[in-house]
């Protein structure tokens, strides 16, 4: 009997929604999975250490792992109107904050190897004269409280924080995705599904097919995954979980397509030009 493939993805609703059918053995012919849940900063490190067969990671980490892992053309998160936000405390009455107000300030981020951080650095290069000050890495659930309590001047947030930041009395200074879309016209690349090249080309194609089938099964019967999604959603309001899925699971999840690959190449090429990541080798992003 073949050993289950070791896979790690986040407990966020988009990942549990996408992988529910596959993880529960409901995708015909798909290999069995041994699932580990971990936040994206943890899975990025796992990929760099080559610890799992299949992983959900930030697109930002690809330049460090593509020698050992291949990008699967489905199962990940890209989209429009779904970028990370820079949050601050509410400005005083009549005061309008801009990127210039972050010059020299302390900003909390969820990871320095995240796509959110790359998008933030590309935005800051254009909008924050002289650059920001200290970068403080915090778990993403701790960022909004830190901004609210004055422990940092601003925070870069991801995931469902798009829908909940006003509950903390916070102000959206800038939308990184909006800046990316306006300057490139491309969708926003966030999270990628990667698999070990050592599995072989035929196996990689099978994995891509399984991921794509799992996505389509989730769309065909959204209620089937509901218990699984909410069980892992860290006490998230079901309505917020639904918004989260609606935003992050889209046509690019089923297939990156031309625009998806262009977005990934565009992000990593720009980031390499800024010295934020190593340049990609030839063929690194070739489709499985």
């Amino acid at each position: 009997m073949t050993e289950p493939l070791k896979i790690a993805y986040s407990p966020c609703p988009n990942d549990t929604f996408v992988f529910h059918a596959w993880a529960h053995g409901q995708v015909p012919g798909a290999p069995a999975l041994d699932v580990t849940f971990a936040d994206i900063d943890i899975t990025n490190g796992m990929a760099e250490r080559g610890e799992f067969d299949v992983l959900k990671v930030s697109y930002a980490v690809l330049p460090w792992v593509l020698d050992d892992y291949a990008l699967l053309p489905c199962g990940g998160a890209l989209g429009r109107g779904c970028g990370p936000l820079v949050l601050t405390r509410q400005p005083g009455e009549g005061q309008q904050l801009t990127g210039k107000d972050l010059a020299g300030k302390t900003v909390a981020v969820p990871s320095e190897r995240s796509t959110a951080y790359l998008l933030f650095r590309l935005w800051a290069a254009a909008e924050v004269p002289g650059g920001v000050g200290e970068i403080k890495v915090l778990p993403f659930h701790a960022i909004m409280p830190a901004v609210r309590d004055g422990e940092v001047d601003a925070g870069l947030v991801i995931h469902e924080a798009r829908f909940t930041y006003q509950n903390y009395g916070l102000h959206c200074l800038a939308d990184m995705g909006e800046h990316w879309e306006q300057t490139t016209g491309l969708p926003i690349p966030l999270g990628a599904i990667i698999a070990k090249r050592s599995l072989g080309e035929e196996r990689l194609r099978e994995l891509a097919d399984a991921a794509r089938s799992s996505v389509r099964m989730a769309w065909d019967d959204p209620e089937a995954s509901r218990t699984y999604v909410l069980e892992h959603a860290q006490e998230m309001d079901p309505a917020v979980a639904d918004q989260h899925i609606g935003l992050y699971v889209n046509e690019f999840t089923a297939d990156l397509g031309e625009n998806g690959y262009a977005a990934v190449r565009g992000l990593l090429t720009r980031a390499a030009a800024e010295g934020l990541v190593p340049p990609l080798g030839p063929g690194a992003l070739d489709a499985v």
Side-chain angles (χ1 to χ4, degrees), residues 51-74:
E51 291 178 351
F52 281 72
D53 300 309
V54 186
L55 288 148
K56 166 77 175 286
V57 297
S58 299
Y59 275 107
V61 86
L62 292 191
W64 284 277
V65 303
L66 285 178
D67 283 348
D68 296 320
Y69 286 90
L71 172 64
L72 296 188
C74 48

Side-chain angles (χ1 to χ4, degrees), residues 12 37 39 44 72 157 167 171 185 217 227 239 254 268-269 271:
C12 293
F37 291 101
D39 284 338
N44 286 345
L72 296 188
V157 299
N167 299 344
H171 166 72
M217 290 173 74
T227 300
L268 298 179
T269 300

